[in-house]
Amino acid sequence: MPKRFLPQLRQMHAFIGIGGPCIARELANRQPTASIYGCKDLQVAERFAALMRTDYYRLSITTDDTGVEACAALKNFFAIGVSAMQTRYPDKKRGGGQSKNPTAAAFTQATLEMARLCERLGGHPATAFGLAGLGDLHVTVGGGRNSRLGHGLGRNQTIMDLMSNELAGETVEGVDTARALATMILGNAAIKMESDDYFPLTFAIMDSILEQKSFVLDFANLIVR
């Protein structure tokens, strides 16, 4: 976040974090897109958003710049787990297509856990239920490297196999986020105490990535609301 910038960058009057679903190709084709700008100085955020808004590029603003940036990283991580549900339970009566119920449950759980982690990182939990969190998660699950990794894990492939073959040479952002989360959790006694019961999807994804385990999400542990 801004506090981690180089000294010369910390002298900036304001920092604006940009988040939310925004596939560059679609925006370039002027397809309707909604994103969010986060800045501690709301006037700065609004002034910049006013310069960038068009009839097809719609912008929200928030003072929660930390939450916007946290969700930008966390949605990649959680997209892995949600995408795994798309291939873990194929609908055999429909040619092996996705079973929708498991994916919907995991998506809801991902948003809930993203809100909890966002708050622990210094952001506002409500940010995870908006464009920066839920909205961007939806787009990321729809395609991309993190989604492809999740699909492989859902088919009981290991991360080592996936990163050595079909994803070789690819940058899968959610993997780095998993490492960062592990460091944060190991250094935070409060989060460690909450463990699997409070973050079942988080720990399931971390186990499959960091421990080279098969992806397992026990639906009995879900606390979807």
Side-chain angles (χ1 to χ4, degrees):
M1 307 317 172
K3 294 178 182 178
R4 296 177 181 268
F5 285 165
L6 295 172
Q8 57 267 37
L9 293 179
R10 287 201 294 267
Q11 296 173 12
M12 292 188 300
H13 170 67
F15 166 86
I16 298 176
I18 301 176
C22 186
I23 297 175
R25 180 185 64 257
E26 293 186 8
L27 182 59
N29 289 330
R30 301 191 175 190
Q31 294 178 353
T33 299
S35 296
I36 185 167
Y37 289 178
C39 182
K40 290 285 193 296
D41 189 329
L42 207 59
Q43 290 184 333
V44 170
E46 178 52 47
R47 189 159 68 245
F48 187 67
L51 293 172
M52 302 299 292
R53 280 193 190 101
T54 69
D55 57 349
Y56 57 87
Y57 184 47
R58 310 310 299 164
L59 295 168
S60 300
I61 59 172
T62 177
T63 57
D64 187 20
D65 56 343
T66 298
V68 168
E69 291 295 316
C71 287
L74 290 170
K75 53 88 177 176
N76 291 317
F77 171 79
F78 282 112
I80 295 171
V82 177
S83 297
M85 289 296 100
Q86 295 180 321
T87 52
R88 174 54 55 84
Y89 301 102
D91 189 338
K92 296 180 181 179
K93 291 185 177 181
R94 296 185 179 181
Q98 298 174 13
S99 291
K100 304 298 191 295
N101 290 346
T103 304
F107 189 97
T108 305
Q109 184 70 32
T111 308
L112 176 62
E113 293 185 32
M114 193 187 316
R116 291 170 173 168
L117 289 170
C118 182
E119 183 175 27
R120 281 153 184 75
L121 288 165
H124 197 288
T127 300
F129 294 97
L131 287 168
L134 183 153
D136 211 356
L137 176 63
H138 174 74
V139 164
T140 307
V141 169
R145 299 175 295 268
N146 296 283
S147 178
R148 287 160 55 199
L149 176 61
H151 288 161
L153 294 176
R155 298 187 187 101
N156 288 319
Q157 294 175 266
T158 67
I159 184 170
M160 183 176 295
D161 287 340
L162 290 163
M163 297 304 296
S164 299
N165 293 289
E166 53 258 56
L167 288 169
E170 298 272 11
T171 299
V172 184
E173 302 93 333
V175 172
D176 289 327
T177 303
R179 297 190 183 106
L181 281 174
T183 300
M184 182 185 80
I185 290 171
L186 290 174
N188 189 315
I191 297 180
K192 284 170 66 178
M193 286 179 63
E194 290 165 344
S195 70
D196 295 7
D197 294 335
Y198 206 59
F199 294 104
L201 183 56
T202 298
F203 278 84
I205 299 170
M206 287 200 305
D207 282 348
S208 65
I209 292 176
L210 304 178
E211 303 296 330
Q212 299 288 328
K213 295 180 180 178
S214 296
F215 180 83
V216 177
L217 178 61
D218 185 354
F219 266 60
N221 290 336
L222 292 193
I223 35 182
V224 174
R225 292 180 175 84

